[in-house]
Amino acid sequence: MINCIIIDDEPLALELIREYVLRFPKLQLVQTFDDGFSGVEFLKKSKIDLVFIDINMPDLNGIDLIRSLTNKPLIIFTTAHKKFAIDGCELEAVDYLLKPISYDRFEKAIQKVIEYSA
């Protein structure tokens, strides 16, 4: 079982990703967060295998949040902005999904996660 969380300030995106995650029996959705500060506090206290995270969020963006972590889980960035792709690579993200996220593209990202976790 791969424990995961979602961090995204956009309610529709958060709900879509949640619905997609629930279709995969190997994924266990532990929590969702609509802001980076709540998500980072949770990550500092909890063992999470995978984080779906938006980049462009107010106050604490996804790139800075991931950089602040000592023990980094697997990361899938979910964003509407292509311009952060290089940052995602530098942070060794498993994947980088551009919004709006199709189910087929999401499924490919999850297959990568499953391969990394095997």
Side-chain angles (χ1 to χ4, degrees):
M1 189 67 66
I2 299 168
N3 291 322
C4 62
I5 64 170
I6 305 166
I7 306 171
D8 198 314
D9 66 318
E10 298 176 39
L12 293 175
L14 193 80
E15 182 58 27
L16 179 69
I17 297 165
R18 187 182 82 68
E19 288 177 18
Y20 286 173
V21 165
L22 294 176
R23 295 183 189 182
F24 289 88
K26 291 188 177 186
L27 298 181
Q28 174 65 43
L29 182 59
V30 176
Q31 188 78 34
T32 63
F33 301 94
D34 61 6
D35 70 278
F37 288 118
S38 299
V40 77
E41 287 306 313
F42 185 84
L43 285 167
K44 288 179 180 177
K45 298 174 186 173
S46 304
K47 168 78 171 88
I48 295 298
D49 304 309
L50 172 64
V51 176
F52 297 92
I53 186 166
D54 188 16
I55 292 177
N56 194 20
M57 296 185 290
D59 300 323
L60 179 60
N61 73 51
I63 299 286
D64 291 340
L65 186 155
I66 298 304
R67 283 186 178 139
S68 76
L69 298 175
T70 305
N71 298 315
K72 291 179 180 58
L74 296 174
I75 304 296
I76 295 179
F77 285 110
T78 58
T79 184
H81 304 282
K82 292 180 183 180
K83 64 183 178 185
F84 298 111
I86 292 173
D87 292 313
C89 289
E90 289 175 355
L91 291 170
E92 299 177 359
V94 173
D95 215 329
Y96 191 94
L97 301 177
L98 287 173
K99 296 175 183 176
I101 302 166
S102 72
Y103 180 76
D104 289 342
R105 184 64 183 86
F106 186 87
E107 186 176 32
K108 287 179 183 177
I110 299 307
Q111 291 306 319
K112 289 180 187 179
V113 168
I114 291 169
E115 289 173 19
Y116 283 131
S117 299

